[in-house]
Amino acid sequence: MSPFLYLAAIAVPSIAIALCQSMHSGLPRLRRASSDGVLIDGRYRNVAVNGGVALAAYVAGIVLLGGYLVDAGRTSRWYAPLLVLLLYDFGYYWLHRALHWRSLMRRVHWVHHRTSHPTAVDSLYLHPLETVAGLVVLLASMAAVGPLGPGAFVATAIAHSLVNVLVHANLSIPARLAWLTNHWSARHDAHHSSSGNFGTITPLWDWLFGTSARTQHA
């Protein structure tokens, strides 16, 4: 697989985080609190560590399960990444609910919930075990649908990262085409101050299993 594809998978979400963070001075956030903007000790060190952990998880997955994940000689159907992400979202919904069990919240998920109203950079502000667990769900979803062609594999990885960034962006973008980004941000921002909205990409699982929480749009 071309090294440029790997570089794209790293560069695109990194640029998205930088852009979303820079937009906070010019666009309204969905919600604010008096503590917003206060740096948490070790926040960016944690983000850097989790970026490295995510990269290592992908490399380990390709080395150990490469034949199930990606096939260099294969061209995937255009909808293959969509199937992977839908399957991932179902798996992550249940992982996320499990992370809110008292023992796992206290030992793992509390790190992410230290910020009441997250921003894009907080998409990587996690306990490293949570980063690994989320990527295990993603790689398992790829293996279930795949093996994927190189382009579909990288497209899925980029889409997953971008959604994660936009979900945490906490921005209200005044453009009709940005309705999905605004919806994602509102739902996840509400999650940080309520018990619900465990899904990421679609609210379907929260609707089906009765865990939807009220959102507040700017």
Side-chain angles (χ1 to χ4, degrees):
M1 189 157 56
S2 170
F4 292 106
L5 292 177
Y6 289 115
L7 290 175
I10 298 171
V12 171
S14 300
I15 292 171
I17 290 175
L19 285 175
C20 288
Q21 291 297 116
S22 68
M23 291 166 72
H24 282 148
S25 61
L27 291 173
R29 294 191 192 182
L30 290 162
R31 277 194 275 181
R32 297 176 184 273
S34 59
S35 61
D36 286 354
V38 177
L39 290 179
I40 299 171
D41 289 343
R43 183 189 194 190
Y44 289 98
R45 182 172 62 249
N46 175 285
V47 167
V49 167
N50 277 295
V53 169
L55 182 60
Y58 271 112
V59 172
I62 291 172
V63 170
L64 298 175
L65 302 169
Y68 297 97
L69 298 176
V70 59
D71 182 348
R74 182 175 181 144
T75 301
S76 298
R77 301 281 187 176
W78 64 268
Y79 53 79
L82 298 179
L83 290 178
V84 172
L85 292 173
L86 185 62
L87 184 59
Y88 158 80
D89 200 49
F90 179 72
Y92 182 77
Y93 169 84
W94 291 106
L95 170 63
H96 199 180
R97 284 192 67 170
L99 288 170
H100 278 257
W101 295 344
R102 181 173 297 179
S103 59
L104 289 178
M105 171 61 88
R106 187 173 64 249
R107 291 180 173 86
V108 179
H109 197 45
W110 71 272
V111 174
H112 186 61
H113 275 267
R114 286 183 69 187
T115 174
S116 298
H117 303 295
T119 59
V121 72
D122 297 312
S123 61
L124 283 171
Y125 184 65
L126 307 161
H127 192 293
L129 286 178
E130 183 173 345
T131 298
V132 172
L135 287 175
V136 166
V137 174
L138 178 65
L139 294 175
S141 301
M142 288 179 172
V145 174
L148 303 173
F153 178 84
V154 172
T156 303
I158 290 176
H160 167 263
S161 297
L162 281 178
V163 169
N164 197 32
V165 171
L166 295 175
V167 160
H168 291 88
N170 197 19
L171 290 171
S172 179
I173 302 173
R176 289 188 177 183
L177 291 178
W179 68 269
L180 183 57
T181 294
N182 293 341
H183 175 72
W184 280 334
S185 290
R187 281 181 55 79
H188 193 71
D189 187 76
H191 166 76
H192 273 250
S193 54
S194 65
S195 179
N197 293 352
F198 297 106
T200 300
I201 299 172
T202 172
L204 176 62
W205 317 123
D206 287 296
W207 290 343
L208 286 176
F209 300 111
T211 53
S212 289
R214 178 185 290 272
T215 62
Q216 175 180 319
H217 293 270

